[in-house]
Amino acid sequence: MELRQLKYFLKAKELLNFTEASNHLNISQSTLSQQIKQLEEEIGIPLFNRIGKRITLTEAGLLFSEFAFQSVQKSNEGLMMMKDLNKLNSGSLSIGITYALRHLLTKALIAFSRQYPKIKINIVFGTTSELIEKLNTTELDFILTFKESYESDYDYHSLFFSPMTLVVAKDSEFSKLSSIALKDIMKLPLALPAKGYSTIQFIKGILKKEKLEPNVLIEINDIPTLLELVKTGNWNTILTQVSVDDPDLATIKIKGKNMLREATIISLKNMYQKKSVKIFQEFL
């Protein structure tokens, strides 16, 4: 059994089409079919049902895929360990981040790149749920977001706490307030982040607990556009204070318990952490 065969099998499992899988792997379809056939012969049981031009996983294929993924993952981890011996003169770093923490990332990124200019960095913005999904498939080395709950599959490293705030235009009648009660916000026209953002999940959880009904007129899945709408003075929003760094906007802390969000570094537990990951997290 060869590592190459496992990679071929996993790509075929992902796409459920030998032609598409071979194209992604830059090999001929006959080569892919032959390698998978050899793998099946060695295992002694079919991994795919071949129905005309369609393929589906057999029960054995489904069970075997977990072990194949672990084998390929461990192999990749071994290669990464070897690259780390090159004193960060090469390599890459993939970071997922929510919009609210962009300022933190920017400062760390500038400092890190000055010291390690040869490390290629890939940055992905998204909702917490989107980033967690990419982290689970190892597309990302770690993510920066707000902690929602604790799950044993991940490692968490706390960065800081940021208060929840009402965000208004700078010329709003509320802009001079230092704090505001949550119940008073319910009367205001609101534009809020769409489903998927951890902030809206946090807000809805508190509102449900307090039995409050907000006056939500707009839901949007783009935070920069949301803030532009708030600048007009026609709408207000609720975000963490760290999300807002604009002279045309004002933030008012929301009164009450549990109005702090914990900014956190999240990574997969029991997975080898590249040296570049550890150093970048020190910059953060």
Side-chain angles (χ1 to χ4, degrees):
M1 186 181 301
E2 299 179 9
L3 187 63
R4 179 181 69 252
Q5 293 174 324
L6 298 182
K7 291 179 178 179
Y8 290 175
F9 163 71
L10 289 173
K11 182 56 68 174
K13 168 190 172 292
E14 176 188 345
L15 299 176
L16 290 179
N17 185 295
F18 282 168
T19 301
E20 291 183 17
S22 61
N23 289 336
H24 276 77
L25 294 165
N26 293 315
I27 60 174
S28 67
Q29 182 177 339
S30 60
T31 298
L32 175 65
S33 298
Q34 181 183 26
Q35 291 296 315
I36 290 180
K37 189 67 176 176
Q38 289 178 3
L39 183 60
E40 291 175 320
E41 289 174 353
E42 183 174 352
I43 294 172
I45 190 170
L47 298 173
F48 291 101
N49 296 306
R50 294 161 173 83
I51 309 169
K53 294 184 178 181
R54 296 187 300 112
I55 60 171
T56 60
L57 279 175
T58 63
E59 181 183 18
L62 182 61
L63 293 172
F64 182 72
S65 64
E66 180 179 347
F67 296 98
F69 175 78
Q70 291 177 0
S71 297
V72 172
Q73 184 181 44
K74 290 298 182 183
S75 173
N76 290 336
E77 289 177 11
L79 289 174
M80 287 190 289
M81 290 178 69
M82 297 303 101
K83 289 180 179 179
D84 275 348
L85 296 179
N86 201 24
K87 297 182 180 180
L88 296 181
N89 287 326
S90 64
S92 62
L93 186 58
S94 294
I95 304 169
I97 183 168
T98 54
Y99 179 83
L101 299 176
R102 67 197 185 284
H103 303 303
L104 171 71
L105 176 68
T106 300
K107 294 177 181 178
L109 179 61
I110 293 171
F112 178 87
S113 296
R114 284 174 179 166
Q115 190 164 340
Y116 304 100
K118 294 184 179 180
I119 299 296
K120 182 180 178 181
I121 301 176
N122 176 46
I123 299 172
V124 178
F125 278 87
T127 65
T128 298
S129 56
E130 291 169 344
L131 297 177
I132 285 290
E133 184 176 342
K134 291 182 181 296
L135 182 64
N136 287 334
T137 57
T138 67
E139 293 178 57
L140 299 173
D141 293 308
F142 66 92
I143 65 176
L144 297 173
T145 186
F146 291 103
K147 184 178 178 181
E148 290 299 323
S149 60
Y150 178 84
E151 294 184 35
S152 58
D153 293 335
Y154 307 105
D155 282 323
Y156 300 86
H157 300 281
S158 180
L159 292 170
F160 60 86
F161 289 85
S162 181
M164 293 299 298
T165 62
L166 172 68
V167 185
V168 300
K170 68 175 182 179
D171 56 356
S172 167
E173 60 180 300
F174 299 98
S175 63
K176 303 301 180 183
L177 295 177
S178 59
S179 62
I180 188 171
L182 190 60
K183 64 179 181 180
D184 293 330
I185 297 176
M186 300 301 98
K187 308 170 186 177
L188 305 177
L190 297 174
L192 295 180
K195 181 181 178 182
Y197 283 91
S198 64
T199 296
I200 193 64
Q201 295 172 5
F202 182 84
I203 294 169
K204 287 184 176 180
I206 292 177
L207 293 178
K208 183 177 180 180
K209 184 177 179 180
E210 299 293 331
K211 297 181 180 180
L212 296 173
E213 190 67 32
N215 180 25
V216 182
L217 302 180
I218 296 177
E219 290 187 351
I220 187 168
N221 68 348
D222 183 73
I223 302 300
T225 303
L226 171 62
L227 293 177
E228 289 300 316
L229 292 174
V230 174
K231 286 181 186 180
T232 67
N234 295 319
W235 301 275
N236 311 277
T237 193
I238 302 174
L239 294 172
T240 52
Q241 190 173 59
V242 72
S243 306
V244 184
D245 183 19
D246 192 311
D248 293 325
L249 295 170
T251 57
I252 303 109
K253 293 182 181 179
I254 301 175
K255 299 176 184 178
K257 297 180 180 179
N258 303 317
M259 284 297 174
L260 290 176
R261 305 292 312 282
E262 183 180 4
T264 310
I265 299 172
I266 304 178
S267 56
L268 283 175
K269 184 172 286 187
N270 299 324
M271 182 173 176
Y272 169 72
Q273 290 293 311
K274 294 185 286 188
K275 185 177 179 181
S276 57
V277 169
K278 297 176 181 178
I279 292 177
F280 195 96
Q281 290 181 359
E282 290 176 4
F283 279 91
L284 287 170

